[in-house]
Amino acid sequence: MKFFFINLIVVFLSSKFLFAEQLVRQAQSYLLISGFDVGNVDGIIGPKTIKALKKAYSLDEINNNYKIKKSDIKELRYLYFKRKFEQWSQQPHLNKKMSISDARHLLERTGIGANYIEILRFSNLSRAEGIFHILKNFNTFPQYKPPNFIYEELPEYWIRWDYDEPDRQSFRVARDNEIYQLKNWWIKEMISTPYPQNERLLLFWTNHFPVEYSSISEESISIARQHLMFRENGFGNFKVLVKEIIRDPAMLNYLDAESSKKGAPNENLGRELMELFVLGEGNYTEKTVKEASRALTGYRYNRLRDFEVNFSRAHWAHDKKQKSLLGKKGNFDGDDLIDILFLEPEAATFLTKKFWKYYISETFENEDEVEKIAERFKKSDFEVPVLLSEIISSESFWDIKYRGTIIKSPVDLVIGTIRSTGFLPLGWQRIPGVLANLGQNIFEPPNVGGWSRGSSWITPARLLNRNKFLANFFDNEGTSLIDLDKNDPEITMSRNDNLILRYGAENFEGPPKFKIMLLEKQNNPYQNKLKWKSPIIYAKNGHDTELFGRVNGEEIPWTIQTFDINPNIEFNKVSVHFVNDHCCGPGGPDGGDRNFFLDWIKIGKYLFLAKDGRQKSNCPNNNNNPGFLYCSGNVTMDINKSIKIENNKKVNDVENKKDQLILERVAFDWGEKYSENDNWNEINISLLNVKFNSHYQSGIKLKIVHDPNRDFKIVLTSDNCSESCISGVWPKSTFTWEAGRVKVLEFSIGPKENSSQKKHFNELNKYDQKFISALWTAIPSLLKKMQAGRNFKERNGKDILYSWQNVIEKMYNQLEKSKYVQNNNFPKVLFVSNNKKKSEGMMSMAMSSINQDIPIPASMKLNKDLNEWQTSLNNSIGYINIKSAILADNPVTLLNNQLSPKNLITNPVFHLK
Amino acid sequence: MNRRKIIKAFLSGLILPLVPIKIDAAAKKSGRRLILIELSGANDGLNTVIPYSDDRYYGLRPELAIKKDDSISITDDFSLHSALKNLVNVFEDNDLAIIHGLGYPGANRSHFKSIALWETGGDGSASGRSGWLTEDIEDLMGDKHLDAHGISLDGGMGVFTSPDGIWLSMTSANQFLQLSENQFVLSEKTKNPSLNLLLNRALDLNTSMERISQKLSASFKYPKSRVNAGDLGRQLSSAARLIAAGINTPIFKVKINGFDTHENQLWRHNDLLRNLGNAISGFKKQMVELGEWENTLVFTYSEFGRRAIENFNSGTDHGTAAPHFLIGGKVNGGIYGKHPDLGNLIEGDMRYTLDYRAIYELILGKWFSIQDNKFKSYRSDNLNKKLIL
């Protein structure tokens, strides 16, 4: 089902740069370039701006208090395009009616592929009308709802390092699966959107600001949010986009800005900002990189608090001293830096050149034209829509000599061909893997430079794969979307009486075959009674190793299949057998391979994970990784190790006593070796899913602090609580750090408790007083429990705790006497173990595979095979025009008597656009 | 036997040449070549080349230290892990150079990022965009007598990232052979530079694959000895087979996985090193047999070393500096560079003593005689004078 929605995109980052002022600047820029006098573009609404607005809107009602809204920018942009359209209609190269070939060119260059129905529609317009049509209808909203994980409560990124290996592994698998969902969603979007122009622009930004998912330690949420940020700002202001990127968690992680701090700035972000994002190589000095990196210290994000980004002005994080940047001196931060960089002439020319190469030609450059366009781009204060409109209305864009000079990217080749033909091959879910094989693994650019495009798409290895893809495009076992629809009954995980399994296959001269058996253990452990046996099943949707080589782990083409079985069969073991390996051993004698992968199988309420099973395979050394059968063999899973699917208990649902502190995990975070000479010794511990009466928090990082001359205290800071640390209002006496950004409470057990600390406690409401008391009372058991986690082992917790040994004894004595313990009698802390983690990851994976709708290419007819496509072409645009609708018309002389569509898509010119 | 079958048979190691095809190129003796061995996952240098006379080593590795008696001493200060016993013979033949303390400024501890730096010749403050040797090798070698600029036998093309040149992966070669009927046959000249590029690429590729399969089918020569060392052994045997058939390519790339030994390092590392030692010594035997050992240089590399201090899971975590091997008939064996000071660690990590790009410079400048190479500013005069004869 298609899901239309408005405003689903949320602005995640409450941007610190003045957004209101930025809107005014944008409005002023559009007014200015539309020919209205606004005075200076300064972000302030003065009488001149108001007067210009009245004129532009032809409205007198606008008063001096008018607030510029986002909708104004859209309206002013439209008015600007309308004015431009009148100009374009006067220009000789734009006022002519489009030929079939012109229409194909415009669609293919601005979108993804060009469908004959769209071509036909556009060929009734003039070039100016075509451009205007694309710009005024530019739509950045997706057609389908983005994957759910983006909107759900975040998984425990902040404490995941404390998990032992099996749970870490499940965590990783679940995140990798989220990226897989995201890829599939975007690909579906690219196939089906009526606004491919936006997707093309998004592909540009993803490569202008590249981030590799595999390099940012499975933080899939950052990749997803970055993608939505590009949707939000990509067709907006370039300067705003750059300011967003220096506070983007994915980029901050990727370019190591996380560890960048005063005194030790990391230069990665500063360098790439200049080299790749704004100015281009050679247009800055190493000195500027150094100074810029100092300005960029202190931008960080908080995993505990929903990846919130903040600019830390704390003395240890941001370098506040004077920097000298391109002739200016001041205590600059990142936003100042970007404003200064945008004063350089290259800021406009660098991006203009890149657009020129992306939309017009990779191999030519027209310096004069680039200069002219860059000037207008700069005059608009770096509005991307202005740049795009200048590019596609330029003479070069329409010049015949630049046509067919861009080498199609894998996305152009794969998705463009689907859009152009209206033929969606079976197994479209595997497109991410196909794109990876062709060299464009979405969200995994090769390095910080992104994909270099052009000739790098046709390296020898890739050229082979491209040809193979095109030659076989229509041969997909003779099936198409329509058959897929019929054969895949809707299935849901809630059906109890069904057997459902998820498997993947690698085909070689045919698919793997397998069978399923339900068994009952007998007293003799070596004998199992067979209770049910499936027929031999041919694996569906296998990856063809002959065509595409072996798959990478994450790209295994998982398939879900169901069987009806009698729900009354009693069994306690299930076994899946792979029966037809391509003999013998890895690779086989002729280089071929056929493999079978089992992920899970669900029978009734029980979910059996292959990885928890036992594997017997005919390959040596193939039994350690159950579920991955590289040789014939079987995986047997025991009901005792299965996961029963029922409502999982959360900390929130656990029945507990009044005033009992409940939590899921306590982890060592970090600490310092104890020193008598230090008046601030601290140990930090992390608490996951904490509940006390009705007060719940998904995470708290707690400081235990000792000042040898004063007291022991626990310190709560607003930065280190996932929600608010306390349920009531913060006491008036609350301390603040970092210019008021961080709120701090101290609760002391003495011996010398000071008056502020007393106030902190006394000003709490009585529920929070209980909570703090319970927390203090629990400290001994928390410190004990945390030693079981991985952080404690790997972060030298043992040595640190050892150095505190004597002090901690003192602390416990002191605690016994304290008001927190004396006046209360709390029940023991309850640790709720949570076994649902594993199943959650697996279930989300299961659901995501099931809920994949079939993308319907927008505004085009679906064709079920090559013949139908050919007939549609003949009937719509006519036999004589087929060539112009499919191939770039430069050079035209290459192709005579090759009008069959099959020949056209395997022609070398089809690699170009 | 058609091309498809020949290459398929080659890939599975069962080449049975039938009718030899006459080509002059097959007879032409190939020039110098480099074999890159990637130790994927980050090899633990301290337990590979062991500083057995340094007491601090045993302090850092209470559980994992290899005892003096369990290793094979090669100098007064250093021994090799006993699993490398076949490599000790290579050392005694003076064909193995060990270079201590390789690393780079601004160490990155991510597998992905750091291997990308080694592949492109970057460091913590700037990463490269193309393979470290691609440009220089493409400039040096005219395409005339080459069958390819480089061949990867592990499928990995990272070190071969280049917009130009013929850099092949043998796994894709298999697929190529099914395509013959779809290859572009176009003689017409065009003014469209992109189309020209595409057609030239297709032509180069076709020619290159044609020559490789012809040479393979024409040659009866292949090494008699076998390399018994798992997957790495298989990859190196394939390289030897290609060399025996006279296939002229300056670079081969192979890989051995599994060095990320966070847990249970002792036995895992033992297995890995045994394969590595057997593979290298077996490959040497094959090259000597073919009379190619003097033309061959083998270089091992890895994304980083492992932390000097062991962890609590009987393993080691991601670290910084590590030693690596250069092996070949023209290598002047011995120990080069300075071992990192075990008394001067930063957060448990060793400080590197030599920028790894000095080795890249040595390989490009000395071995391939490209004086004016990308890494000339990293030149180490000592290595240049002594290491390669």
Side-chain angles (χ1 to χ4, degrees):
Chain A
M1 282 296 290
K2 276 200 183 183
F3 184 86
F4 288 92
F5 56 97
I6 317 166
N7 241 342
L8 197 126
I9 295 173
V10 185
V11 184
F12 288 103
L13 313 173
S14 52
S15 303
K16 298 290 181 293
F17 51 96
L18 292 169
F19 198 70
E21 185 190 310
Q22 180 57 40
L23 278 181
V24 177
R25 280 184 73 101
Q26 275 179 274
Q28 286 172 329
S29 306
Y30 275 113
L31 288 164
L32 179 76
I33 57 176
S34 301
F36 300 101
D37 179 15
V38 288
N40 291 327
V41 175
D42 53 8
I44 302 163
I45 306 192
K48 278 190 176 167
T49 307
I50 294 292
K51 201 171 151 199
L53 260 179
K54 280 183 191 173
K55 252 191 181 166
Y57 283 167
S58 312
L59 274 178
D60 270 340
E61 290 90 88
I62 293 175
N63 65 31
N64 289 343
N65 299 324
Y66 190 80
K67 290 258 184 317
I68 303 282
K69 299 175 295 295
K70 277 202 146 180
S71 55
D72 286 305
I73 307 302
K74 222 175 156 184
E75 181 64 23
L76 290 170
R77 193 169 71 206
Y78 172 74
L79 292 173
Y80 168 75
F81 285 149
K82 219 167 112 185
R83 268 179 54 96
K84 287 301 281 189
F85 170 60
E86 281 154 23
Q87 289 172 18
W88 295 331
S89 303
Q90 306 301 315
Q91 287 174 299
H93 74 285
L94 297 177
N95 73 355
K96 48 177 120 172
K97 185 176 173 301
M98 276 190 275
S99 62
I100 293 285
S101 167
D102 284 347
R104 183 205 46 74
H105 174 69
L106 177 62
L107 287 162
E108 208 165 48
R109 285 298 184 82
T110 59
I112 302 171
N115 184 265
Y116 50 93
I117 296 176
E118 296 171 298
I119 292 174
L120 205 58
R121 210 183 315 135
F122 268 72
S123 66
N124 286 321
L125 306 176
S126 75
R127 289 174 175 181
E129 284 167 336
I131 296 167
F132 183 52
H133 183 84
I134 283 174
L135 292 171
K136 79 172 182 205
N137 292 317
F138 210 94
N139 187 334
T140 61
F141 292 115
Q143 306 300 298
Y144 294 92
K145 186 174 170 291
N148 285 335
F149 78 90
I150 302 172
Y151 306 101
E152 285 163 0
E153 194 186 332
L154 289 192
E156 314 81 66
Y157 280 108
W158 66 284
I159 202 173
R160 67 190 191 276
W161 295 284
D162 196 53
Y163 291 172
D164 283 327
E165 203 41 56
D167 281 345
R168 275 290 278 133
Q169 188 66 29
S170 304
F171 187 90
R172 254 180 242 135
V173 167
R175 305 290 81 75
D176 289 354
N177 181 254
E178 287 169 354
I179 279 296
Y180 180 72
Q181 290 176 36
L182 190 73
K183 279 183 191 175
N184 260 322
W185 165 72
W186 191 15
I187 278 162
K188 210 157 71 174
E189 204 56 45
M190 290 194 268
I191 293 176
S192 62
T193 178
Y195 311 104
Q197 291 77 18
N198 183 49
E199 307 307 312
R200 168 153 303 284
L201 188 58
L202 279 172
L203 286 162
F204 178 88
W205 291 129
T206 314
N207 206 37
H208 189 73
F209 300 110
V211 172
E212 292 166 75
Y213 165 68
S214 62
S215 287
I216 61 164
S217 40
E218 76 257 1
E219 292 185 353
S220 52
I221 189 67
S222 297
I223 297 284
R225 288 179 178 178
Q226 185 191 61
H227 181 84
L228 296 189
M229 188 274 281
F230 287 146
R231 277 187 191 271
E232 172 93 7
N233 296 295
F235 195 60
N237 188 281
F238 180 47
K239 213 199 273 188
V240 172
L241 196 52
V242 177
K243 287 184 180 179
E244 290 285 358
I245 212 74
I246 63 162
R247 32 174 72 74
D248 176 69
M251 190 60 82
L252 290 176
N253 186 330
Y254 186 54
L255 294 182
D256 310 306
E258 271 201 291
S259 58
S260 185
K261 57 176 186 262
K262 180 186 156 189
N266 185 301
E267 291 177 10
N268 256 345
L269 181 59
R271 180 182 311 279
E272 305 311 359
L273 186 63
M274 268 167 261
E275 180 186 334
L276 298 170
F277 304 163
V278 184
L279 297 180
E281 206 173 349
N283 296 322
Y284 55 89
T285 62
E286 281 302 306
K287 169 99 170 62
T288 314
V289 171
K290 287 211 157 57
E291 295 291 285
S293 305
R294 290 177 52 215
L296 289 167
T297 48
Y299 286 86
R300 40 193 67 224
Y301 64 98
N302 189 334
R303 292 185 179 86
L304 175 57
R305 292 178 59 83
D306 200 40
F307 283 57
E308 162 187 278
V309 175
N310 46 54
F311 174 52
S312 171
R313 292 174 184 276
H315 60 93
W316 53 269
H318 178 62
D319 183 342
K320 286 185 198 152
K321 292 216 183 96
Q322 176 172 283
K323 294 120 199 156
S324 83
L325 275 165
L326 301 163
K328 298 197 166 39
K329 283 191 163 105
N331 305 337
F332 303 127
D333 64 15
D335 290 332
D336 301 328
L337 163 69
I338 288 167
D339 287 333
I340 291 168
L341 293 183
F342 272 84
L343 296 174
E344 296 290 293
E346 288 85 6
T349 47
F350 176 63
L351 194 72
T352 304
K353 266 185 205 163
K354 228 174 148 178
F355 261 61
W356 207 91
K357 286 186 175 166
Y358 189 63
Y359 286 103
I360 297 176
S361 171
E362 280 164 348
T363 33
F364 294 102
E365 221 174 273
N366 186 333
E367 287 293 341
D368 291 346
E369 198 171 45
V370 164
E371 282 303 324
K372 215 171 68 192
I373 296 172
E375 207 170 288
R376 292 181 186 162
F377 178 43
K378 187 166 187 169
K379 198 176 171 198
S380 76
D381 201 31
F382 304 97
E383 283 293 314
V384 175
V386 172
L387 175 59
L388 183 61
S389 72
E390 291 294 334
I391 290 279
I392 64 176
S393 63
S394 69
E395 283 186 39
S396 297
F397 182 84
W398 294 95
D399 192 332
I400 192 91
K401 83 171 177 206
Y402 292 128
R403 299 206 188 167
T405 55
I406 292 179
I407 293 163
K408 285 182 180 172
S409 69
V411 165
D412 287 325
L413 202 74
V414 174
I415 297 173
T417 307
I418 291 171
R419 288 185 66 99
S420 301
T421 58
F423 176 81
L424 184 67
L426 182 69
W428 60 271
Q429 294 94 332
R430 296 203 302 280
I431 288 175
V434 175
L435 291 175
N437 261 315
L438 298 178
Q440 195 176 17
N441 190 359
I442 308 251
F443 304 125
E444 297 286 0
N447 55 47
V448 289
W451 288 286
S452 48
R453 295 197 282 259
S455 59
S456 73
W457 293 136
I458 50 166
T459 61
R462 290 172 182 171
L463 191 55
L464 293 169
N465 285 335
R466 288 166 76 102
N467 286 344
K468 193 75 192 168
F469 173 80
L470 293 173
N472 292 289
F473 183 71
F474 284 104
D475 303 345
N476 217 318
E477 296 163 10
T479 43
S480 77
L481 180 64
I482 294 140
D483 299 311
L484 181 75
D485 208 359
K486 268 199 306 243
N487 292 341
D488 248 358
E490 197 189 319
I491 46 175
T492 62
M493 290 305 278
S494 59
R495 278 170 64 175
N496 280 337
D497 56 338
N498 244 354
L499 185 156
I500 310 180
L501 82 164
R502 185 174 194 257
Y503 64 81
E506 284 187 298
N507 296 359
F508 180 78
E509 291 172 356
K513 298 179 204 170
F514 66 97
K515 58 183 177 183
I516 305 163
M517 294 183 205
L518 300 187
L519 309 165
E520 193 170 55
K521 261 185 286 193
Q522 302 296 304
N523 286 339
N524 179 344
Y526 300 103
Q527 282 180 346
N528 291 313
K529 196 169 162 194
L530 180 65
K531 302 297 289 272
W532 178 81
K533 192 170 79 172
S534 74
I536 297 265
I537 304 158
Y538 286 72
K540 293 207 296 186
N541 291 337
H543 174 98
D544 189 339
T545 55
E546 279 180 281
L547 253 61
F548 299 121
R550 296 289 312 280
V551 292
N552 299 319
E554 68 181 279
E555 306 292 352
I556 289 176
W558 296 110
T559 294
I560 294 205
Q561 208 170 339
T562 62
F563 301 91
D564 278 318
I565 58 165
N566 177 352
N568 298 322
I569 299 174
E570 284 189 12
F571 70 97
N572 45 31
K573 271 187 174 182
V574 54
S575 175
V576 177
H577 297 248
F578 168 38
V579 296
N580 66 329
D581 185 35
H582 179 70
C583 189
C584 298
D590 52 5
D593 207 354
R594 187 192 298 128
N595 300 315
F596 180 75
F597 311 110
L598 177 71
D599 189 15
W600 49 257
I601 177 164
K602 176 184 167 280
I603 303 162
K605 277 188 182 158
Y606 297 95
L607 179 67
F608 298 86
L609 305 180
K611 71 191 196 67
D612 293 337
R614 285 170 66 105
Q615 179 158 306
K616 277 187 198 157
S617 145
N618 295 332
C619 296
N621 308 323
N622 187 213
N623 294 332
N624 299 333
N625 199 3
F628 293 80
L629 282 159
Y630 292 100
C631 293
S632 56
N634 65 68
V635 193
T636 305
M637 292 147 287
D638 197 301
I639 206 157
N640 293 330
K641 286 192 180 169
S642 74
I643 294 160
K644 200 167 175 195
I645 295 165
E646 53 194 350
N647 290 336
N648 284 305
K649 279 188 180 165
K650 273 193 169 182
V651 167
N652 261 327
D653 308 329
V654 171
E655 278 192 34
N656 62 297
K657 300 180 190 134
K658 186 167 179 288
D659 294 344
Q660 185 174 34
L661 186 71
I662 314 169
L663 66 155
E664 198 182 302
R665 174 182 284 270
V666 50
F668 177 71
D669 190 29
W670 63 278
E672 311 168 302
K673 282 204 181 151
Y674 187 81
S675 159
E676 282 286 343
N677 305 323
D678 200 338
N679 62 7
W680 184 280
N681 291 290
E682 64 180 300
I683 288 183
N684 290 256
I685 61 174
S686 301
L687 311 179
L688 175 65
N689 291 337
V690 190
K691 201 190 154 207
F692 182 73
N693 294 332
S694 63
H695 183 44
Y696 167 80
Q697 302 219 42
S698 52
I700 301 176
K701 283 188 193 173
L702 192 73
K703 284 180 196 299
I704 299 170
V705 177
H706 185 225
D707 176 348
N709 301 317
R710 296 201 59 85
D711 64 345
F712 295 96
K713 58 200 166 210
I714 53 180
V715 179
L716 287 176
T717 63
S718 56
D719 245 9
N720 286 322
C721 297
S722 57
E723 286 86 24
S724 174
C725 300
I726 48 175
S727 66
V729 289
W730 289 72
K732 278 203 192 104
S733 55
T734 302
F735 298 143
T736 59
W737 292 346
E738 295 201 15
R741 196 179 63 75
V742 181
K743 290 182 273 194
V744 184
L745 291 175
E746 291 188 4
F747 302 104
S748 169
I749 52 172
K752 295 181 186 164
E753 185 184 17
N754 67 33
S755 61
S756 313
Q757 292 168 336
K758 278 182 190 145
K759 275 191 196 161
H760 285 183
F761 187 73
N762 294 336
E763 289 173 13
L764 291 177
N765 69 33
K766 63 178 182 195
Y767 305 105
D768 286 330
Q769 286 184 347
K770 277 256 185 217
F771 171 57
I772 297 300
S773 302
L775 212 49
W776 247 129
T777 309
I779 290 291
S781 52
L782 294 176
L783 286 180
K784 205 167 152 201
K785 187 86 174 174
M786 82 177 180
Q787 299 178 35
R790 187 168 175 163
N791 280 357
F792 186 75
K793 290 180 212 148
E794 293 191 351
R795 296 180 182 178
N796 203 17
K798 216 170 166 181
D799 287 355
I800 289 160
L801 209 59
Y802 184 75
S803 71
W804 280 66
Q805 206 174 23
N806 296 331
V807 192
I808 282 180
E809 253 172 63
K810 269 191 226 160
M811 176 166 85
Y812 289 172
N813 291 333
Q814 194 71 33
L815 180 59
E816 285 303 316
K817 293 182 283 180
S818 74
K819 59 188 167 195
Y820 310 103
V821 173
Q822 287 287 310
N823 308 330
N824 294 299
N825 187 15
F826 292 112
K828 244 173 94 182
V829 188
L830 180 64
F831 290 98
V832 184
S833 69
N834 193 342
N835 294 324
K836 70 187 160 60
K837 294 250 154 13
K838 236 185 265 179
S839 63
E840 263 177 9
M842 296 300 157
M843 291 307 288
S844 87
M845 209 182 278
M847 299 312 288
S848 73
S849 330
I850 290 169
N851 292 334
Q852 275 175 5
D853 313 314
I854 295 155
I856 309 294
S859 49
M860 53 183 82
K861 181 178 169 300
L862 282 172
N863 292 306
K864 78 169 192 296
D865 57 24
L866 178 64
N867 285 339
E868 197 173 304
W869 178 44
Q870 188 156 5
T871 313
S872 304
L873 278 169
N874 278 335
N875 293 346
S876 57
I877 62 167
Y879 179 72
I880 198 75
N881 285 322
I882 288 180
K883 193 175 77 183
S884 312
I886 296 174
L887 296 181
D889 43 355
N890 173 34
V892 273
T893 53
L894 268 172
L895 314 143
N896 295 318
N897 312 319
Q898 287 192 20
L899 289 184
S900 96
K902 171 88 181 172
N903 282 345
L904 291 176
I905 70 165
T906 52
N907 188 286
V909 180
F910 194 73
H911 289 264
L912 307 171
K913 62 172 194 177
Chain B
M1 210 177 196
N2 66 23
R3 281 193 302 161
R4 177 178 178 178
K5 283 201 180 131
I6 289 164
I7 297 237
K8 271 200 164 180
F10 161 71
L11 285 167
S12 59
L14 293 172
I15 182 75
L16 298 166
L18 298 176
V19 188
I21 302 165
K22 261 195 183 174
I23 41 167
D24 24 313
K28 192 180 163 351
K29 195 163 165 57
S30 49
R32 288 186 158 186
R33 70 182 69 82
L34 172 70
I35 316 286
L36 292 166
I37 303 183
E38 180 187 345
L39 313 179
S40 182
N43 180 38
D44 182 23
L46 273 181
N47 278 16
T48 305
V49 182
I50 298 150
Y52 71 91
S53 63
D54 191 334
D55 290 339
R56 292 170 301 187
Y57 166 68
Y58 302 94
L60 292 165
R61 300 275 172 98
E63 187 185 345
L64 296 185
I66 309 287
K67 289 186 203 78
K68 212 184 260 183
D69 299 344
D70 294 346
S71 62
I72 306 162
S73 109
I74 50 172
T75 69
D76 289 345
D77 293 321
F78 298 101
S79 60
L80 288 180
H81 192 291
S82 60
L84 290 172
K85 68 170 190 285
N86 283 333
L87 207 56
V88 173
N89 299 332
V90 180
F91 186 82
E92 282 164 359
D93 294 346
N94 203 34
D95 283 352
L96 165 65
I98 296 167
I99 306 100
H100 279 313
L102 295 178
Y104 58 87
N108 196 307
R109 283 177 186 74
S110 147
H111 290 293
F112 301 96
K113 286 185 195 168
S114 197
I115 197 65
L117 296 179
W118 277 80
E119 284 173 348
T120 58
D123 60 37
S125 61
S127 56
R129 305 282 186 268
S130 58
W132 64 270
L133 44 63
T134 52
E135 284 161 41
D136 285 318
I137 293 291
E138 284 161 17
D139 284 353
L140 173 76
M141 313 278 175
D143 296 341
K144 277 267 162 55
H145 301 292
L146 282 187
D147 300 311
H149 286 108
I151 295 179
S152 160
L153 292 154
D154 62 35
M157 295 291 281
V159 74
F160 292 163
T161 304
S162 166
D164 304 303
I166 308 270
W167 303 94
L168 292 175
S169 151
M170 275 321 249
T171 53
S172 57
N174 186 16
Q175 294 149 38
F176 164 82
L177 295 157
Q178 303 163 34
L179 285 175
S180 48
E181 71 273 24
N182 296 315
Q183 284 306 295
F184 314 136
V185 189
L186 286 163
S187 51
E188 197 167 340
K189 284 272 175 261
T190 159
K191 277 186 188 163
N192 178 336
S194 302
L195 185 58
N196 255 333
L197 178 74
L198 187 77
L199 297 175
N200 285 336
R201 280 280 162 86
L203 189 68
D204 285 351
L205 180 61
N206 224 345
T207 317
S208 175
M209 297 304 302
E210 196 75 53
R211 278 160 63 167
I212 289 173
S213 54
Q214 279 187 357
K215 285 186 183 178
L216 275 172
S217 61
S219 162
F220 288 100
K221 204 172 158 194
Y222 54 96
K224 287 180 190 63
S225 59
R226 297 192 72 81
V227 181
N228 188 12
D231 193 46
L232 180 65
R234 193 187 55 74
Q235 293 173 40
L236 282 173
S237 294
S238 297
R241 168 70 188 123
L242 291 167
I243 292 165
I247 284 156
N248 196 356
T249 182
I251 317 288
F252 287 95
K253 155 93 203 303
V254 298
K255 172 158 110 175
I256 169 169
N257 285 314
F259 284 91
D260 199 14
T261 49
H262 287 284
E263 291 170 333
N264 304 324
Q265 173 169 319
L266 280 176
W267 61 267
R268 288 172 63 189
H269 199 225
N270 188 66
D271 289 359
L272 290 162
L273 290 183
R274 184 172 345 100
N275 273 347
L276 180 66
N278 290 355
I280 293 174
S281 60
F283 182 66
K284 176 188 167 181
K285 209 182 266 177
Q286 293 185 324
M287 289 299 104
V288 171
E289 221 179 275
L290 295 169
E292 288 290 345
W293 187 232
E294 303 285 295
N295 288 325
T296 303
L297 180 68
V298 179
F299 175 50
T300 65
Y301 68 103
S302 197
E303 52 265 58
F304 33 70
R306 307 196 74 80
R307 188 153 306 159
I309 297 177
E310 66 185 32
N311 68 21
F312 295 89
N313 299 316
S314 317
T316 48
D317 296 327
H318 299 182
T320 49
H324 280 292
F325 300 139
L326 274 169
I327 308 132
K330 284 263 194 249
V331 166
N332 181 21
I335 295 201
Y336 293 83
K338 220 176 116 224
H339 195 279
D341 181 354
L342 294 181
N344 185 13
L345 303 178
I346 323 170
E347 294 172 17
D349 277 326
M350 293 178 278
R351 292 168 197 266
Y352 74 95
T353 53
L354 182 64
D355 193 304
Y356 74 101
R357 288 165 287 197
I359 309 297
Y360 288 1
E361 201 287 326
L362 177 73
I363 291 169
L364 291 171
K366 191 80 190 278
W367 180 247
F368 287 118
S369 307
I370 309 169
Q371 304 303 331
D372 189 25
N373 64 64
K374 234 163 120 178
F375 301 99
K376 59 184 175 192
S377 62
Y378 295 97
R379 177 175 316 216
S380 154
D381 287 336
N382 183 43
L383 294 186
N384 260 274
K385 256 183 239 152
K386 295 185 190 153
L387 202 150
I388 293 173
L389 294 169

